[in-house]
Amino acid sequence: MAASDDEGAEAAADDRQCTCGLKKEDHQSNCSQCQRRSLNSSLPSSSSSCSLLSFDSYPVQDYDKLWRVYTASVKGFSIGAGLKGGIALFSFLSRLRRRRSLPSSKKVEMASISEDVILALKETLRYGLFLSAFAGTFVSVDEIIAALGGHRRTAKWRSLLAGAIAGPSMLLTGLNTQHTSLAIYILMRATVLASRCGIKSKRFGKICKPLTWAHGDIFLMCLSSSQILSAYILKQDSLPPSYKSFLNKHGAKDSVILQGVREIACGMPFTNLGAIEKYYKSIGVDVKLDPQMKIPCSIIHGNQACATHFLSFLLQAYQRALPVYLPVYLIPALIVHRQGLKKRPHTILWKGLFGTARSSLFLSMYCSSAWIWTCFLFRIFKKCNIPMVAMGTFPTGLALAIEKKSRRIEISLYCLARAIESFFTCMADVGYLPQSKNLKRADVVIFSISTAIIMHCYAIERDVFRSKYLNVLDWVFGVPLPPYETTPRKKARQVSAGFEV
């Protein structure tokens, strides 16, 4: 129905009488308005799955290539600085709140407010420059190759090469700053896009068919949870510092408790039972721990029963999760839907609050079920070891089913990237994998390969992207304007030329 409406609108536009005053037979050859209509009918739609960066539908010499490079760089900077600046602002406010609650003796150990502000500004500028350089480099290389080799002849591989060349822009975030988690996450995104292309193809369709499983995102979350939560309990050094801090906050277990669980799981003698009893005494719980215990339930939740601990932990975890998701939903509602807020404020705010409540329930259930599943498994088999910890944390990923379907794959891929990094770090530490000394920035190599795949899919297989991501990519990298539309730069030239005349 929508398609017929569009066709009717185009037909009506073509049937409008031209005001140029030329004879009918001279319109197509001499009238600029008729030429514009004819050219407009041949332009590809922004939602088309064809290659929009091949520009086969209209002459490429008529759009301003330098303006495209400039706007891509500026928009890339705005996205990088905006995202990192928002995260830095949230972190700064959190540290400021924590500073006020600390005694003066511990405030001295923390960085000063001015140092936090300077660090936040540096990080914001670095990430802004990173995405600005990436966008500018990609568009520049894309235009140079097209100018030298021709748009049609280079359309199938131009974006692949341009994406790979733009990848090392990551170094602008810091020459000595590793971004392994980011690189692996982008690689996961590239793999998803490549698999969607494989599903469409006749050659690889059967191989990629299992990737269309409806609950594959939950299965990936279960796999990721097994590695991430096992590492949280047994080897926190394999996790990135920021993610480790996040898990420690929402896992809500003191380091002495985790050490006790780690010792019993690894078969080591207890060294801190007194410290655990002292910790519980500080929170008003009197616990006597048995050095001969086989399962760590009394270490994890003291005198509470496993089910009682699950319920009390769930309520506390929900209170911790609400401040995490409240800005995630409400800030985009205020920015992205600011026009809709005037027309239907109750609907948009309700969706934001409902999304906050649901995502907070997911995170709280995820953290709570990690402890109840492990306790349940320990009590069944009457023992605790590393395989038991890995098996007990696997079904924790089922909590992802609470989340909205469109958010599940995003969360599972993010956690999968963290799990892969942690897994290979653990394998390297125990000697199963050689630690490379020659390739110091493997993250840059992985990122460049991933961006090459993503940008190739963007140019050739646009329909494998979700519309929201495609809109952002179009806004930043921009398909060149049709020849009858002008950039602000061209408009300025035309105005100045008019004054000269």
Side-chain angles (χ1 to χ4, degrees), residues 109-286:
E109 301 175 2
M110 298 182 65
S112 64
I113 296 177
S114 59
E115 290 175 345
D116 287 341
V117 172
I118 292 173
L119 179 62
L121 290 175
K122 284 182 178 180
E123 289 296 308
T124 301
L125 182 61
R126 285 174 180 174
Y127 276 82
L129 291 175
F130 157 46
L131 287 186
S132 175
F134 179 85
T137 302
F138 171 80
V139 174
S140 300
V141 174
D142 180 73
E143 292 291 354
I144 291 172
I145 295 176
L148 296 177
H151 283 78
R152 295 186 181 182
R153 285 181 293 177
T154 62
K156 292 185 178 181
W157 56 266
R158 188 171 69 243
S159 296
L160 184 75
L161 180 60
I165 293 175
S169 303
M170 177 188 277
L171 293 171
L172 290 174
T173 60
L175 295 177
N176 298 321
T177 305
Q178 293 280 345
H179 294 287
T180 308
S181 298
L182 175 62
I184 295 176
Y185 174 72
I186 299 300
L187 179 62
M188 294 299 101
R189 301 297 316 181
T191 304
V192 169
L193 294 175
S195 65
R196 289 175 184 170
C197 294
I199 292 169
K200 290 172 52 182
S201 69
K202 295 181 179 179
R203 183 182 300 178
F204 301 105
K206 294 182 179 179
I207 299 175
C208 298
K209 193 67 176 176
L211 298 173
T212 61
W213 185 30
H215 302 292
D217 45 12
I218 296 179
F219 178 72
L220 285 179
M221 188 65 179
C222 290
L223 282 178
S224 306
S225 300
S226 181
Q227 172 60 37
I228 290 172
L229 297 178
S230 297
Y232 162 67
I233 297 172
L234 303 174
K235 191 175 178 56
Q236 289 200 9
D237 293 340
S238 65
L239 298 168
S242 59
Y243 197 58
K244 181 172 65 175
S245 176
F246 176 83
L247 290 176
N248 281 326
K249 177 181 178 181
H250 293 277
K253 295 299 178 183
D254 194 85
S255 58
V256 294
I257 294 178
L258 295 177
Q259 183 182 346
V261 178
R262 183 163 52 250
E263 288 175 347
I264 192 173
C266 297
M268 298 186 296
F270 289 113
T271 60
N272 70 333
L273 289 183
I276 297 173
E277 292 175 353
K278 185 178 179 181
Y279 165 76
Y280 276 113
K281 192 172 184 179
S282 67
I283 60 175
V285 179
D286 189 15

Side-chain angles (χ1 to χ4, degrees), residues 5 47 60 76 79 83 115 117 171 189 192 206 209 228-229 271 292 299 306 314 320 341 352 398 404 452 464-465 476:
D5 291 342
S47 61
V60 297
I79 289 180
L83 290 176
E115 290 175 345
V117 172
L171 293 171
R189 301 297 316 181
V192 169
K206 294 182 179 179
K209 193 67 176 176
I228 290 172
L229 297 178
T271 60
Q292 303 300 322
I299 295 178
C306 296
L314 179 62
R320 288 190 293 268
L341 280 172
L398 295 174
K404 186 180 178 181
V464 301
F465 286 86
V476 176

Side-chain angles (χ1 to χ4, degrees), residues 19 56 130 222 233 236 256 261 322 339 347 359 374 486 493:
T19 57
D56 293 342
F130 157 46
C222 290
I233 297 172
Q236 289 200 9
V256 294
V261 178
L322 279 174
Q339 298 296 334
T347 303
S359 294
T374 49
T486 56
R493 289 178 180 173

Side-chain angles (χ1 to χ4, degrees), residues 242-406:
S242 59
Y243 197 58
K244 181 172 65 175
S245 176
F246 176 83
L247 290 176
N248 281 326
K249 177 181 178 181
H250 293 277
K253 295 299 178 183
D254 194 85
S255 58
V256 294
I257 294 178
L258 295 177
Q259 183 182 346
V261 178
R262 183 163 52 250
E263 288 175 347
I264 192 173
C266 297
M268 298 186 296
F270 289 113
T271 60
N272 70 333
L273 289 183
I276 297 173
E277 292 175 353
K278 185 178 179 181
Y279 165 76
Y280 276 113
K281 192 172 184 179
S282 67
I283 60 175
V285 179
D286 189 15
V287 177
K288 294 296 180 182
L289 299 175
D290 181 11
Q292 303 300 322
M293 71 177 76
K294 299 297 182 182
I295 58 175
C297 289
S298 58
I299 295 178
I300 295 173
H301 46 76
N303 294 330
Q304 280 185 310
C306 296
T308 305
H309 170 256
F310 168 74
L311 294 175
S312 61
F313 191 96
L314 179 62
L315 294 175
Q316 296 170 6
Y318 194 81
Q319 294 174 0
R320 288 190 293 268
L322 279 174
V324 174
Y325 285 104
L326 197 61
V328 170
Y329 282 92
L330 293 186
I331 292 178
L334 295 174
I335 297 175
V336 179
H337 303 290
R338 59 186 182 276
Q339 298 296 334
L341 280 172
K342 299 177 181 178
K343 301 178 181 178
R344 43 192 180 93
H346 298 291
T347 303
I348 294 176
L349 289 176
W350 165 249
K351 286 183 178 180
L353 292 174
F354 179 75
T356 301
R358 179 169 53 187
S359 294
S360 300
L361 180 61
F362 150 67
L363 181 57
S364 56
M365 182 63 73
Y366 179 80
C367 297
S368 305
S369 61
W371 298 119
I372 191 64
W373 279 114
T374 49
C375 284
F376 180 69
L377 204 66
F378 296 156
R379 289 191 175 276
I380 289 178
F381 291 95
K382 303 296 183 182
K383 61 180 179 179
C384 172
N385 51 37
I386 294 177
M388 287 291 169
V389 174
M391 290 170 59
T393 51
F394 180 86
T396 304
L398 295 174
L400 186 64
I402 298 172
E403 268 288 4
K404 186 180 178 181
K405 178 63 177 176
S406 60

